[in-house]
Amino acid sequence: MTIDRRRFLGVLGAAFTLPAFTQSNPPPRAEHGNPAGAVTLEQARSNPLLALRRLQEGNARYARGEGVHACATPKDFAQVAQGQTPFAAVVACADSRTAPETIFDQGIGEIFTVRTAGNIVVGGGSAIKGSLEYAVAELGVSVILVLGHTGCGAMKAALAVHNGGPRAPGDIGPLLDLIQPAVEAAAHLPGDRLAQVTAENVRRGVARLRELDPIIRPAAHGGKTAIVGAVHDLATGRITVV
Ligand SMILES: [Zn+2]
């Protein structure tokens, strides 16, 4: 456990423990493939702004077709088998075209990822929120990024239901219900409806996390962890912070 994490957990109070998850802290590792001048993993882990910059740098490489896929050799994944030290947590859609490690050009062990259709946070329950709390409290990520994307099937389906379409079968219906508040809020916004629903769903996720006690709100308000929203444009590869 690093000094920073020990101090942070101390802030949360002595009653806060994570016995089932606690792992030994792995040693710092060399980064293979990170371009000269780019934000290092250790810098990103210690500074929320640098963590966001590292994601943006990696996305710019991906969009230019210059991804370096850092830490993708057998030596790299054998090293992270000892433990993980991701600098970011990303809540992304399950869509096959928006894989965070790929679109941010990050290596194995560098992004803690939570994915559902529609990148759900609000209403996502303990599986989603507990995973992100673990990422903050135990892994010490310095940024959580809620990431929507263009052409999202879940947003389209929620819009279709809102516009009078049939209810989806199985648990797809309840999943789409979680997106309806964003659909309704976006109804009053100008511009492309699907784009507005996508952005609103992201904004609501960010807002929920920023107020989520007892772990993420203090980390966000204390400057330990940045909570950011963005949309990934499937056609250009680029992300835009919302
Ligand atoms: Zn999607």
Side-chain angles (χ1 to χ4, degrees), residues 25-178:
N25 202 44
R29 61 191 172 88
E31 286 189 76
H32 301 156
N34 200 38
V39 174
T40 68
L41 184 59
E42 289 309 304
Q43 286 173 327
R45 278 184 57 79
S46 64
N47 184 315
L49 292 177
L50 292 179
L52 183 59
R53 188 187 302 172
R54 183 176 167 99
L55 290 173
Q56 291 172 317
E57 287 175 348
N59 177 248
R61 291 194 300 273
Y62 169 75
R64 292 194 306 265
E66 298 173 358
V68 294
H69 303 291
C71 309
T73 68
K75 182 180 177 185
D76 292 316
F77 55 71
Q79 188 175 18
V80 295
Q82 300 169 46
Q84 58 175 323
T85 54
F87 70 96
V90 176
V91 184
C93 183
D95 191 294
S96 60
R97 300 162 293 179
T98 192
E101 292 84 350
T102 300
I103 70 168
F104 292 111
D105 190 34
Q106 299 299 313
I108 194 113
E110 295 176 1
I111 299 181
F112 184 89
T113 306
V114 176
R115 299 182 70 174
T116 71
N119 41 279
I120 299 296
V121 174
V122 180
S126 297
I128 305 298
K129 291 166 189 164
S131 297
L132 294 170
E133 289 176 333
Y134 170 66
V136 170
E138 182 64 10
L139 300 179
V141 298
S142 49
V143 63
I144 298 177
L145 184 74
V146 181
L147 183 67
H149 68 95
T150 58
C152 182
M155 302 301 131
K156 291 178 183 174
L159 259 171
V161 171
H162 180 78
N163 292 333
R167 185 167 176 79
D171 278 313
I172 303 173
L175 171 66
L176 298 180
D177 289 344
L178 301 177

